[in-house]
Amino acid sequence: MSRRVPRSRAPLALALGAALAAPLALTPPAAAADPYTVTPLKFTVQTGGRSCTIDADLYRPAGVDREHPAPAVLGTNGFGGSKSDGSTDTIGKAFAQRGYVSLVYSGLGFGRSGCLISLDDPDIDGAAAAQLVDFLGGKRAADDGTTADFVTLDAPGDPRVGMIGGSYGGAVQLATAAVDHRLDALAPMITWHDLAYSLDPNNAVGSTGVPGVFKWQWTNGFYLIGEGQPLLQASLDPSRINSLTCLHFVTQACRTIRTLNSGSYPADRTAELLAFAHRVSPASYLHRVKTPTLLVQGQADTLFNLNEATATYRTLRAQGTPVKMIWQSWGHSGGLNGPATGELDLSKGNLETSYVGRRVLAWFERHLRKQTHVDTGPAFAYHRDWVTDPDHAYATADRLPALNRTLYLSGDGKLVDNRRKVAHGSRSYTNWAIPTSHSESSLAGLIGVPDTAPRDTKGTYLDWTSTPLERPLDVVGAPRATLRVHSPKAERTQNSSDAADKLVLFAKIYDVAPDGTRTLVRRLVAPVRVPDVTRSFTVTLPGIVHRYQTGHRLRFVIAASDDAYFGNKGIKPVTVVSDEDELHLLQLPTVG
């Protein structure tokens, strides 16, 4: 029989981390008894100036040996998880049952692995994973002397190996590929492009250097999980302790969190914040990633939205790295609803019968088993929740849809399709000392708590609404809005040494049904810290895939606040003037 490693149920406090892991939980097809063996291993690695142990499990398929080698799959957990949580160890089981050697491990700072939490820094987390690739390539042994001489090699010490995983276990793949070009295939799911955008987004185009709007609920949830490790582990490797003021993260990560929570952005601390967030993000090192990459991002995701994967996709494609992208239905948000019918479902493990599952299998067959006849699918695919037949829910294309429909914000509150229809008008709103708009409670779905409906308080937002649609309108991608706002109080603080004094607003798009019911698509908003309030600016909203049905109306909103984010310092009334000389645009990427 296969030697099974005892699995203890993850503590309740790990539920969030396990949900964020989101690698493939796959139920394999029927297989013979004893399809693989499992060997627990420890690896002492040198990384980030520390020596620490990585806790791993090696899954070896039956019949795989030195004379009959097989390619390998490497995977790790999402934030707060470990090699033992249900979604991570399933990587090992699923791919071992499909003939791949699988090595799954607890990421640095989690489970029983040592070292500090360093946010998938390529020079730390990537370098550590590269030492596991050394093991798979026969260049080093585990601490107990175990070696792997049964992995397919492309050259001495160069194993045929791919990586898969989600969220925190997704970004580490790109970090590893940046420092180790031996990787042959990647399948990162629901992960980030730039942590500065993820945790402190500024959706104003060209806002480089201007800090964003702190996403305090998501960020502090992760921070508490990381710093609360003693509650999750009975004993900790000393290499996981930093200091009394920053227990388990690298020091720069703690400084970044404190700066964000302070609500202040002085120039020196802001520069440090942005520099660290960029350095540990794919945005700064994708130019070194040459490994074929299948990106899978979730539409229901307010943590890492579709714009993140899109930025990674465009960068890799522009530099010639083989890359394809899928927008599946589920992500970090909307956990109470679960995957759509027929989607890859982590609780059911429907790999062969789900579109995303089949695409992942094909990607590895092509790049790890070198089955050159295998079709890995189109460049771009996206799930459509309005298609009831799961076999036809995905649409495909060879490129991302362009911004091809323009609407204008009229002074009378209408959203019109011709600039000649724009009426002259001036409308205003003002913020309160407390948040007056609600888009989401960020952690609600993950911990199984219902969320209240999105809402805006009268007088603290402006909206523009279209006429009822005469035919369905399918929006696929990230809308853009070009705006000009007037705020004398914000103008007086425009050149403050603290960027937090700049004006903050939130752009979003609703779907308004004939009965007046409003739907904030996927609860997504675009936070903006206006770079220069004396000039017009363009906002890139989060990407969506949404059908506006016949009879429905589009509603574009700018709001003064959102309770999932920090907001304005002080009261800053805002006025929007619309006429033929001061046009405001909403551009949509539509298909069909």
Side-chain angles (χ1 to χ4, degrees):
M1 293 180 65
S2 299
R3 183 159 63 88
R4 303 286 181 171
V5 181
R7 304 292 188 196
S8 60
R9 173 171 290 186
L12 181 60
L14 275 178
L16 173 60
L20 295 179
L24 295 171
L26 314 175
T27 298
D34 309 327
Y36 57 83
T37 59
V38 185
T39 304
L41 298 173
K42 302 287 186 183
F43 298 89
T44 299
V45 299
Q46 307 296 322
T47 188
R50 294 190 174 215
S51 175
C52 58
T53 299
I54 290 181
D55 185 26
D57 284 339
L58 176 66
Y59 293 75
R60 180 175 174 177
V64 170
D65 54 29
R66 186 171 184 175
E67 286 71 37
H68 306 90
V73 172
L74 181 65
T76 188
N77 53 274
F79 198 95
S82 73
K83 71 168 191 179
S84 299
D85 63 51
S87 53
T88 304
D89 71 357
T90 303
I91 292 176
K93 297 174 183 177
F95 286 97
Q97 289 177 330
R98 288 168 175 80
Y100 292 94
V101 175
S102 302
L103 183 64
V104 297
Y105 68 99
S106 296
L108 299 184
F110 296 108
R112 296 189 178 279
S113 287
C115 277
L116 302 174
I117 301 170
S118 49
L119 303 183
D120 282 342
D121 188 328
D123 296 330
I124 300 177
D125 301 87
Q131 293 172 65
L132 300 183
V133 176
D134 286 341
F135 166 75
L136 293 171
K139 293 180 64 176
R140 65 163 293 169
D143 290 359
D144 65 358
T146 298
T147 58
D149 60 355
F150 41 80
V151 175
T152 303
L153 299 180
D154 290 322
D158 181 0
R160 187 86 54 76
V161 58
M163 292 188 74
I164 188 169
S167 195
Y168 201 77
V172 73
Q173 299 174 49
L174 297 164
T176 306
V179 299
D180 193 335
H181 291 170
R182 293 174 295 175
L183 292 179
D184 298 282
L186 307 179
M189 302 176 70
I190 59 172
T191 196
W192 67 87
H193 174 78
D194 188 346
L195 278 178
Y197 174 79
S198 308
L199 306 181
D200 193 50
N202 192 350
N203 286 68
V205 175
S207 59
T208 303
V210 178
V213 186
F214 181 34
K215 193 184 289 183
W216 72 270
Q217 292 184 13
W218 275 119
T219 305
N220 284 314
F222 284 114
Y223 180 67
L224 291 174
I225 290 172
E227 290 292 76
Q229 289 298 295
L231 299 176
L232 309 178
Q233 294 292 331
S235 61
L236 286 178
D237 184 329
S239 69
R240 291 178 62 170
I241 306 298
N242 187 350
S243 68
L244 291 177
T245 57
C246 185
L247 290 176
H248 305 298
F249 287 88
V250 293
T251 301
Q252 282 182 295
C254 290
R255 289 176 179 170
T256 296
I257 296 296
R258 290 176 189 137
T259 296
L260 292 171
N261 275 305
S262 73
S264 180
Y265 293 99
D268 56 343
R269 278 191 291 161
T270 300
E272 179 185 21
L273 179 160
L274 293 174
F276 172 70
H278 286 310
R279 183 176 62 78
V280 299
S281 295
S284 71
Y285 57 73
L286 280 176
H287 63 282
R288 292 184 277 155
V289 176
K290 308 301 180 185
T291 307
T293 302
L294 177 64
L295 294 165
V296 181
Q297 203 75 355
Q299 296 175 34
D301 204 322
T302 60
L303 176 61
F304 306 135
N305 64 43
L306 296 177
N307 295 10
E308 303 252 27
T310 300
T312 297
Y313 172 80
R314 285 175 168 157
T315 301
L316 292 177
R317 187 168 186 174
Q319 69 190 29
T321 299
V323 61
K324 295 183 178 182
M325 180 169 63
I326 303 172
W327 290 353
Q328 64 181 15
S329 65
W330 59 267
H332 289 90
S333 306
L336 289 177
N337 296 324
T341 302
E343 279 275 70
L344 178 66
D345 189 328
L346 301 183
S347 66
K348 297 178 181 177
N350 53 339
L351 180 66
E352 279 80 10
T353 59
S354 64
Y355 179 82
V356 173
R358 292 192 296 269
R359 290 288 301 273
V360 170
L361 282 177
W363 195 253
F364 280 4
E365 286 289 306
R366 178 70 175 263
H367 296 291
L368 298 185
R369 290 203 167 116
K370 301 301 181 183
Q371 299 293 317
T372 57
H373 65 281
V374 172
D375 182 6
T376 58
F380 175 54
Y382 54 95
H383 183 268
R384 300 170 295 174
D385 61 6
W386 61 89
V387 177
T388 57
D389 181 355
D391 292 333
H392 298 91
Y394 274 88
T396 63
D398 60 357
R399 68 194 68 185
L400 296 173
L403 293 166
N404 54 15
R405 178 158 182 168
T406 300
L407 300 174
Y408 300 86
L409 281 58
S410 181
D412 54 6
K414 295 178 181 178
L415 201 55
V416 297
D417 59 3
N418 191 310
R419 61 186 299 167
R420 292 189 297 272
K421 297 179 181 178
V422 173
H424 176 80
S426 176
R427 305 164 70 220
S428 302
Y429 72 81
T430 190
N431 62 298
W432 294 2
I434 59 174
T436 54
S437 288
H438 172 78
S439 59
E440 67 160 357
S441 298
S442 301
L443 307 180
L446 287 173
I447 60 179
V449 178
D451 199 355
T452 58
R455 61 185 180 275
D456 299 292
T457 301
K458 185 177 180 180
T460 66
Y461 71 96
L462 294 177
D463 61 4
W464 292 264
T465 307
S466 74
T467 58
L469 293 170
E470 297 179 357
R471 62 184 61 86
L473 179 68
D474 296 346
V475 178
V476 179
R480 277 195 171 195
T482 299
L483 305 167
R484 171 70 189 276
V485 299
H486 300 271
S487 179
K489 284 193 175 181
E491 288 179 21
R492 288 196 289 270
T493 60
Q494 173 67 37
N495 298 316
S496 169
S497 60
D498 187 348
D501 289 323
K502 292 181 179 293
L503 178 68
V504 169
L505 56 83
F506 298 83
K508 48 195 173 183
I509 300 179
Y510 285 91
D511 180 334
V512 183
D515 65 359
T517 302
R518 302 184 312 154
T519 300
L520 178 58
V521 181
R522 302 291 188 179
R523 294 181 178 263
L524 292 164
V525 300
V528 177
R529 190 175 298 277
V530 180
D532 186 345
V533 76
T534 66
R535 299 181 179 182
S536 63
F537 57 95
T538 298
V539 179
T540 300
L541 282 78
I544 58 173
V545 178
H546 184 72
R547 166 165 286 187
Y548 290 85
Q549 298 286 1
T550 301
H552 286 228
R553 294 173 292 161
L554 283 80
R555 178 169 293 165
F556 176 71
V557 171
I558 56 173
S561 64
D562 189 286
D563 56 13
Y565 300 81
F566 278 13
N568 285 287
K569 285 180 63 176
I571 304 301
K572 295 182 173 70
V574 170
T575 298
V576 176
V577 178
S578 296
D579 57 34
E580 292 183 355
D581 297 323
E582 197 161 331
L583 289 173
H584 309 272
L585 312 177
L586 175 63
Q587 295 173 289
L588 303 172
T590 66
V591 299

